[in-house]
């Protein structure tokens, strides 16, 4: 199968592309920063081209190069906060529209895109219960409202044109090389792995990490089916406070220097109780145990730094 990955040289894209190629697919990756990832180990199955999702012609060009059976859009502005609304709007909203419209015009029926857990907003909106895909969306940040609108855009293309479009709401994706988006739960592992001190404002702040290899597997499975039962799915993850994550890191690195300014923070946490049964059941997914993933991240970082690996 031929697959076009938009925004594929970032954090999640290269892992997804590797998984797609391992299953015998051919990938064209279009990214505004094409040199940010290395694909030479995957041979001729991957072509990387430079292109900007805010430019409709760039997506049309990429489709003409790839002749894809599937398109996935991962291109987005992460970690931009509330600044630069024009750039955010063009990349997040117009970019998504360009993707859907080009797919429609050029007859590519299957499209997958990344929404986010951010659409749900604070856990306090729901109380102490799991949140599913039918619950209300209370996210108020620029990022969250754009993801919410992306889900609306997808619904319009599904309803009006019959496209097979599926959105995934990843939770807090973690991995050794994550630098954009939510990074406190990442730095709680990676900085101690390097022997560096790290501190956070709140010990009870909750997160819902999912390892980048697990979310890449989610995207791969959802992309490779012709259609999904639902238009959008929660990835879910492993609900954990930063304090408990620090304790887990100390099981592997007893000298880890992780500090907290305050005890609380739970009540200020984003959505961390998530029902992902829809996704896990339909796509027969299980995630690796989170403790094992923490150890993997520690050792990925230590291998990069030339430090001795730690054992479980
Ligand atoms: N990483 C997370 O924790 C997380 C959580 C929830 C949702 N998501 C979503 O998953 C998707 C991928 O996330 P990621 O962590 O790989 O992000 P990333 O920032 O690492 O990757 C995004 C890629 O998009 C590219 N890009 C930016 N502007 C572009 C443009 N105009 N044209 C073409 N490409 C452009 C970037 O160069 C980058 O390679 C995003 O939509 C993100 O919002 C990520």
């Amino acid at each position: 199968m031929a697959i076009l990955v938009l925004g594929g040289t970032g954090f999640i894209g290269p892992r997804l592309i590797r998984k797609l190629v391992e299953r015998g697919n051919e990938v064209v990756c279009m990214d505004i920063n094409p040199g940010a990832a290395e694909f030479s180990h995957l041979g001729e199955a991957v072509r990387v081209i430079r292109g900007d999702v805010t430019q409709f012609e760039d997506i049309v060009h990429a489709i003409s190069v790839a002749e894809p059976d599937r398109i996935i859009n991962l291109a987005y502005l992460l970690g931009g906060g509330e600044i630069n609304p024009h750039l955010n709007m063009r990349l997040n909203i117009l970019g998504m529209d360009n993707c859907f419209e080009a797919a429609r015009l050029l007859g590519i029926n299957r499209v997958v895109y990344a929404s986010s857990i951010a659409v749900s907003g604070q856990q306090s909106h729901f109380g102490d219960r799991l949140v599913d895909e039918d619950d209300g969306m209370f996210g108020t940040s620029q990022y969250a409202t754009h993801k919410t609108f992306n889900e609306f855009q997808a619904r319009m293309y599904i309803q009006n044109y019959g496209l097979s479009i599926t959105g995934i709401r990843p939770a807090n994706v973690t991995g050794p090389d994550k630098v954009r988006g939510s990074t406190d739960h990442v730095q709680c592992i990676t900085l101690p792995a390097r022997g560096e001190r790290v501190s956070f404002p709140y010990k009870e702040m909750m997160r819902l990490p999912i390892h980048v290899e697990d979310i890449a597997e989610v995207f791969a499975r959802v992309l490779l089916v012709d259609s999904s039962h639902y238009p959008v799915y929660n990835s879910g993850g492993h609900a954990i406070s930063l304090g408990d994550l620090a304790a887990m890191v100390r099981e592997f690195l007893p000298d880890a220097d992780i500090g907290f300014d305050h005890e609380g923070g739970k009540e200020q946490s984003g959505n961390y109780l998530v029902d992902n049964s829809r996704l896990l059941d339909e796509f027969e997914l299980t995630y690796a145990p989170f403790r094992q993933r923490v150890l993997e991240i520690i050792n990925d970082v230590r291998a990069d730094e030339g430090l001795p690996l730690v054992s479980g």
Side-chain angles (χ1 to χ4, degrees):
M1 200 180 285
I3 296 169
L4 174 60
V5 180
L6 304 172
T9 67
F11 177 50
I12 298 172
R15 273 95 171 185
L16 168 64
I17 290 170
R18 192 196 74 238
K19 284 175 182 285
L20 293 172
V21 168
E22 282 169 358
R23 288 167 193 179
N25 300 289
E26 301 208 329
V27 174
V28 170
C29 167
M30 185 193 98
D31 200 291
I32 202 164
N33 193 6
E38 179 56 54
F39 296 103
S40 54
H41 57 293
L42 299 176
E44 299 197 342
V46 183
R47 289 179 62 187
V48 184
I49 57 175
R50 189 190 178 284
D52 179 349
V53 293
T54 73
Q55 305 299 316
F56 187 69
E57 319 78 70
D58 284 6
I59 299 183
V60 169
H61 171 69
I63 291 176
S64 76
V65 171
E67 298 182 3
D69 304 287
R70 306 270 193 272
I71 300 177
I72 178 164
N73 185 17
L74 300 174
Y76 226 75
L77 196 62
L78 269 90
E82 302 308 304
I83 59 166
N84 211 332
H86 184 63
L87 175 65
N88 267 277
M89 182 72 79
R90 285 176 57 80
L91 173 49
N92 299 347
I93 305 294
L94 178 63
M96 195 65 77
D97 178 67
N98 284 339
C99 169
F100 293 157
E101 180 66 0
R104 176 182 84 85
L105 287 174
L106 297 172
I108 320 300
N109 193 54
R110 178 82 182 128
V111 182
V112 171
Y113 69 100
S115 179
S116 170
I117 190 174
V119 299
S120 299
Q122 300 293 98
Q123 181 68 40
S124 55
H125 288 290
F126 308 96
D128 208 15
R129 69 167 176 88
L130 294 174
V131 174
D132 70 22
E133 294 87 346
D134 296 329
D135 275 302
M137 294 186 271
F138 297 98
T140 54
S141 67
Q142 191 163 224
Y143 179 81
T145 53
H146 286 182
K147 290 294 191 188
T148 301
F149 191 72
N150 293 153
E151 294 190 8
F152 175 81
Q153 292 173 285
R155 274 204 302 282
M156 289 302 99
Y157 274 84
I158 295 167
Q159 279 172 23
N160 292 335
Y161 305 115
L163 262 66
S164 170
I165 303 179
T166 309
I168 302 297
R169 295 178 182 168
N172 307 130
V173 186
T174 186
D177 50 332
K178 184 179 187 184
V179 289
R180 289 180 288 275
S182 64
T183 50
D184 50 7
H185 56 96
V186 178
Q187 291 170 349
C188 189
I189 307 169
T190 57
L191 294 184
R194 288 192 189 96
E196 294 173 23
R197 177 181 162 70
V198 64
S199 76
F200 303 100
Y202 291 106
K203 191 172 180 183
E204 298 307 320
M205 174 69 77
M206 295 296 296
R207 289 294 192 179
L208 188 66
I210 175 171
H211 193 273
V212 63
E213 286 290 337
D214 291 321
I215 198 69
E217 182 64 24
V218 169
F219 278 119
R221 290 199 193 187
V222 173
L223 187 58
L224 290 173
V225 297
D226 289 336
S227 63
S228 59
H229 296 169
Y230 297 94
V232 74
Y233 295 83
N234 292 328
S235 80
H238 183 86
I240 190 166
S241 69
L242 289 179
D244 286 346
L245 179 57
M248 196 180 278
V249 169
R250 284 194 202 98
E251 288 176 32
F252 302 117
L253 299 166
D255 297 333
D257 190 359
I258 307 169
F260 295 94
D261 300 336
H262 308 281
E263 283 293 315
K266 189 171 184 181
E267 62 291 341
Q268 296 165 41
S269 304
N271 175 211
Y272 59 89
L273 295 175
V274 168
D275 180 351
N276 61 356
S277 54
R278 209 181 250 191
L279 178 80
L280 301 189
D281 292 349
E282 185 176 334
F283 294 93
E284 297 176 353
L285 280 153
T286 41
Y287 302 146
F290 185 64
R291 194 172 176 280
Q292 175 190 319
R293 290 305 199 187
V294 169
L295 178 61
E296 281 173 32
I297 295 171
I298 289 172
N299 280 331
D300 285 345
V301 169
R302 291 179 72 84
D304 264 8
E305 298 283 320
L307 293 166
L309 303 190
V310 297
S311 73

